Amino acid sequence: MREDVKSFTVSGMGCSASMLAIDMAQNLLKVHKNSNAVVLSTEILTTGWYSGNERNKLVLNCLFRMGSAAILLSNRKQVRRTAKYKLVRTLRTQRAFDDKAYFSAIRDEDSNGLTGVTLNRDILQIAGETLRSSITALGSSTLPASEKLKFAISILKKRFINKSAEVYVPNFKTVINHFCLPTSGRPVIREIAKGLKLNEKDMEPALATLHRFGNQSSSSLWYELAYMEAKERVKKGDRVWQLGMGSGPKSTSLVWECVRPINGEAKYGPWTDSIDRYPVMLNEDK
């Protein structure tokens, strides 16, 4: 590479790696004017493969498939005419301060000295708590005042009037038009969607990506975005929320605003040979 090209490696960040890299690239572009940044997001199975016999480490061998994506960001004025999106909001939360959360998914050695990632039984509970704190933080900065007020009233009602009352779930669809969810499995996708009050169409990109390409870790979110573009669902002015969840545990959110019409992407993206087959059986829990 040329001497004026700077390269940074962000590894070991799990399924939220590309979201973290986008946040890092944004900060670099704030310092380096009139510049471009390319984020390469990939899942390489060989480096994380576990060849031992411990069950809680073997699970990871079955979860992921290989995939990659490249994202170009720029702060140059001349790219405004060709850019697809504007980055509106980034948010990062993590729970490494909690030992239980930290050890829910950790890379260590087994009794024979073989390295692998241990997934403990409480990982789903920890993931839920991490996502909840991330979603709450994002909501406080993006939701309209009416939704915040409904949420606050429900909290007060539950605390002082009726402890069995349900807490109001804010409607993120008042500010977000499209959702890219973690592709950690169909039950996980549906549980997150249920918590956000999303419908089948909102879940469709995540379910279709999982069905067609599998869980490609951090690059899956870009395959979901490509799915929506291939279906020509993202219109100018729409906002897209990419929600990443990774080991640590940590959660990263990106909110993009579409700045121009996006047409004809089905001819060039990863869905070229299969977009017409979707959605297919995405509402079946089989």
Side-chain angles (χ1 to χ4, degrees):
M1 293 189 294
R2 301 197 316 254
E3 292 183 357
D4 60 340
V5 176
K6 299 182 183 297
S7 176
F8 302 88
T9 300
V10 182
S11 61
M13 294 292 103
C15 298
S16 63
S18 65
M19 306 293 101
L20 288 167
I22 293 291
D23 182 63
M24 177 182 177
Q26 180 193 41
N27 290 328
L28 288 171
L29 290 174
K30 289 178 180 178
V31 177
H32 301 278
K33 305 300 181 182
N34 197 36
S35 301
N36 295 324
V38 176
V39 174
L40 299 177
S41 173
T42 184
E43 173 68 9
I44 303 174
L45 300 181
T46 51
T47 56
W49 184 261
Y50 173 65
S51 57
N53 297 312
E54 290 189 6
R55 288 188 178 183
N56 56 359
K57 287 184 172 62
L58 285 168
V59 174
L60 205 67
N61 290 353
C62 309
L63 289 180
F64 299 106
R65 292 175 64 181
M66 292 183 67
S68 62
I71 306 93
L72 174 63
L73 296 94
S74 179
N75 57 12
R76 294 180 175 178
K77 293 182 179 180
Q78 57 266 36
V79 303
R80 290 181 178 178
R81 297 188 299 271
T82 56
K84 291 181 179 180
Y85 302 95
K86 176 177 67 176
L87 185 56
V88 177
R89 182 79 167 89
T90 65
L91 176 72
R92 296 167 56 184
T93 58
Q94 59 87 25
R95 294 181 58 82
F97 57 85
D98 181 359
D99 286 347
K100 182 180 179 181
Y102 179 77
F103 288 106
S104 63
I106 188 169
R107 188 176 178 87
D108 56 3
E109 293 184 354
D110 65 10
S111 56
N112 295 317
L114 298 174
T115 303
V117 177
T118 300
L119 299 180
N120 292 315
R121 293 181 178 181
D122 53 3
I123 187 170
L124 290 179
Q125 176 191 345
I126 299 299
E129 293 173 356
T130 305
L131 286 172
R132 192 177 300 113
S133 61
S134 177
I135 292 169
T136 301
L138 183 67
S140 64
S141 62
T142 59
L143 287 171
S146 58
E147 289 297 309
K148 295 178 183 177
L149 181 61
K150 291 177 183 178
F151 177 72
I153 291 174
S154 69
I155 291 289
L156 294 174
K157 181 179 179 181
K158 184 178 180 66
R159 180 173 297 179
F160 299 109
I161 301 176
N162 183 7
K163 295 188 181 299
S164 61
E166 292 187 1
V167 175
Y168 175 75
V169 178
N171 183 9
F172 278 88
K173 295 173 76 171
T174 56
V175 289
I176 304 294
N177 305 97
H178 309 281
F179 300 82
C180 298
L181 307 176
T183 56
S184 304
R186 293 172 68 93
V188 175
I189 293 172
R190 292 191 177 279
E191 194 62 29
I192 294 174
K194 179 181 177 182
L196 293 173
K197 297 197 300 187
L198 306 182
N199 57 35
E200 286 290 331
K201 190 171 183 179
D202 297 323
M203 290 187 284
E204 186 182 310
L207 291 171
T209 298
L210 182 64
H211 182 273
R212 174 64 180 85
F213 298 102
N215 183 358
Q216 297 168 304
S217 190
S218 63
S219 62
S220 293
L221 295 173
W222 303 105
Y223 282 73
E224 294 179 45
L225 183 59
Y227 178 89
M228 291 185 284
E229 292 179 350
K231 288 289 188 180
E232 297 188 0
R233 293 179 180 174
V234 185
K235 310 299 182 183
K236 183 178 179 180
D238 284 0
R239 289 195 171 190
V240 182
W241 177 12
Q242 290 182 307
L243 177 60
M245 175 71 192
S247 56
K250 54 188 168 296
S251 178
T252 310
S253 289
L254 301 179
V255 178
W256 303 88
E257 181 178 334
C258 182
V259 295
R260 69 169 173 85
I262 300 176
N263 301 307
E265 290 297 316
K267 301 177 182 178
Y268 310 105
W271 296 90
T272 302
D273 61 347
S274 57
I275 190 62
D276 293 334
R277 301 204 305 265
Y278 289 90
V280 54
M281 294 180 63
L282 298 184
N283 60 341
E284 299 292 335
D285 294 317
K286 295 182 179 180

